[in-house]
Amino acid sequence: MIITRAPFRVSFCGGGSDLPSFYEQYGGCVLGTTIRKYMYITIQNYFFRDRIMLKYSQTEEVTSYDEIEHRICKQCLKDFDLMGVEITSIADIPAGTGLGSSSSFTVALLQLLHTYKGEYISKYDLAKEACDVEINRLGNPIGKQDQFAAAFGGLNYYDFMPNGTVNVEPIIMSGDSYNKLENNILMFYLGGTHSASAILKEQSSNVKAVDKAEVQLKMCDITKVLKSELQKNNVDAMGELLHENWMLKKTLASGITNPLIDETYELAMKAGATGGKLLGAGGAGFMIFYVPENKQADVRKALSHLREMDFNMDNSGASIIHIDRDYA
């Protein structure tokens, strides 16, 4: 058996500028981190060598690639020309909650299949291949930040170049600043799931309009300021910049926010948060808030009807966490 894992991500600023419709014209940038919540995928030889067994939220046993319902598995197994395998996935967090789970799955699966075939792949090539599968081959109207975050891990600034290349720059801070950032981010689960594709499709279309593109450019400027402030160890700048970014992001597509999200944001801000945002494309899932330590009890009380999740940053990225000697 081989086991790989890829982390989920939290995007702070710049989301949407990683869409081809935007970065191919203007260039884009995102600042975000991965967290210690993961997608795990295992592979082992299946007893029936002419079949494939897949176990995720449902179970599939097939005798040909065309029978596979899971679109990512179908594409990747067909590309790798693999039969006679059993693949199982387990996630720490449900899909559709704004943490990039689909891309974490793709990254972990690709690393698993390369490892199974005895092939090494770099983190950059892993992210690039995951983008090719999801965006080009499957036609999903999504950006590139999720795949690069899952592959590289850590707190990074991502530069999306018009020619399609991506520069990944770690944010360097003192240990105290890193701990302060981790301690002052509170994360709450609103419930529900969303289809990122539908919202991102509208957003991608909208940024072709001049006024929407200007909003996205302002979000990129905020992202660059955040990068600079964090590298100066000014962690408290996170709150105000998250707030500015969220006010702009809400205007990019109709499904990004709703009354529950707006009410939750207002409650948190009145209780002492200095900024926050919904994670992912919009509509449901998780929200984060930057809250000074002396206000955290008040914010937790104001949002006591919601489930809080510990916020711990990951530095490992995509990893092979187990491999039997039979597969080495």
Side-chain angles (χ1 to χ4, degrees):
M1 177 181 288
I2 303 170
I3 306 173
T4 58
R5 77 177 188 189
F8 295 121
R9 65 97 184 98
V10 165
S11 177
F12 292 128
C13 287
S17 70
D18 60 324
L19 290 166
S21 57
F22 183 83
Y23 73 71
E24 287 176 355
Q25 184 171 356
Y26 304 100
C29 58
V30 169
L31 196 152
T33 186
T34 49
I35 58 174
R36 293 180 192 167
K37 299 295 180 182
Y38 302 94
M39 175 71 68
Y40 299 87
I41 309 186
T42 73
I43 190 170
Q44 60 188 14
N45 293 327
Y46 191 38
F47 181 81
F48 300 104
R49 303 302 294 162
D50 60 343
R51 304 179 197 176
I52 295 170
M53 173 65 80
L54 302 175
K55 297 177 181 177
Y56 49 105
S57 56
Q58 61 190 69
T59 300
E60 297 188 57
E61 185 180 32
V62 301
T63 57
S64 73
Y65 304 124
D66 291 339
E67 296 175 27
I68 298 174
E69 293 183 17
H70 194 292
R71 295 177 71 234
I72 297 171
C73 286
K74 180 177 184 175
Q75 185 66 58
C76 292
L77 286 167
K78 189 174 183 179
D79 290 344
F80 279 79
D81 193 24
L82 284 178
M83 292 293 290
V85 293
E86 180 175 343
I87 294 174
T88 303
S89 70
I90 303 170
D92 287 331
I93 295 174
T97 51
L99 301 179
S101 59
S102 176
S103 296
S104 295
F105 181 95
T106 307
V107 167
L109 178 62
L110 287 170
Q111 186 170 43
L112 189 77
L113 299 181
H114 278 291
T115 305
Y116 181 81
K117 296 192 76 170
E119 301 166 351
Y120 167 78
I121 185 169
S122 69
K123 289 184 181 295
Y124 189 91
D125 285 343
L126 184 60
K128 185 178 176 182
E129 188 173 339
C131 289
D132 184 55
V133 168
E134 294 191 273
I135 300 170
N136 299 327
R137 299 174 76 79
L138 294 178
N140 295 330
I142 61 175
K144 290 184 172 182
Q145 65 160 310
D146 293 357
Q147 299 88 347
F148 276 84
F152 279 85
L155 177 64
N156 296 312
Y157 174 85
Y158 302 94
D159 216 349
F160 302 98
M161 310 301 289
N163 65 2
T165 60
V166 181
N167 297 326
V168 183
E169 183 180 339
I171 300 297
I172 307 300
M173 300 189 296
S174 70
D176 287 343
S177 295
Y178 197 89
N179 291 334
K180 181 178 180 180
L181 177 60
E182 204 169 46
N183 292 335
N184 286 3
I185 297 285
L186 302 186
M187 189 169 176
F188 296 91
Y189 180 52
L190 293 177
T193 61
H194 67 265
S195 170
S197 294
I199 297 169
L200 288 172
K201 187 174 183 180
E202 179 186 347
Q203 186 173 334
S204 179
S205 177
N206 286 348
V207 296
K208 294 175 184 176
V210 173
D211 58 335
K212 299 294 185 181
E214 288 177 354
V215 170
Q216 191 74 69
L217 285 167
K218 289 178 183 177
M219 291 170 66
C220 286
D221 289 340
I222 292 170
T223 306
K224 293 169 186 175
V225 172
L226 179 59
K227 171 193 172 188
S228 176
E229 293 301 319
L230 290 180
Q231 290 177 330
K232 294 174 187 174
N233 294 297
N234 180 17
V235 178
D236 287 331
M238 174 67 80
E240 180 183 341
L241 293 171
L242 276 179
H243 177 70
E244 288 183 34
N245 185 80
W246 175 239
M247 292 299 104
L248 291 169
K249 181 177 179 178
K250 289 196 300 180
T251 69
L252 288 176
S254 59
I256 288 177
T257 191
N258 58 42
L260 172 61
I261 295 167
D262 291 340
E263 180 186 3
T264 301
Y265 194 88
E266 186 177 353
L267 286 171
M269 294 294 283
K270 284 183 177 179
T274 58
K277 70 186 291 279
L278 184 74
L279 298 176
F286 285 91
M287 293 189 79
I288 57 165
F289 297 96
Y290 186 85
V291 188
E293 191 171 4
N294 65 339
K295 294 291 186 179
Q296 290 182 8
D298 292 337
V299 171
R300 287 188 168 103
K301 182 178 180 181
L303 301 182
S304 59
H305 58 292
L306 300 176
R307 176 180 172 180
E308 183 179 358
M309 192 178 80
D310 291 341
F311 179 84
N312 301 111
M313 292 191 279
D314 156 271
N315 286 313
S316 61
S319 306
I320 304 164
I321 60 173
H322 175 79
I323 182 166
D324 288 337
R325 285 183 298 174
D326 291 347
Y327 294 88

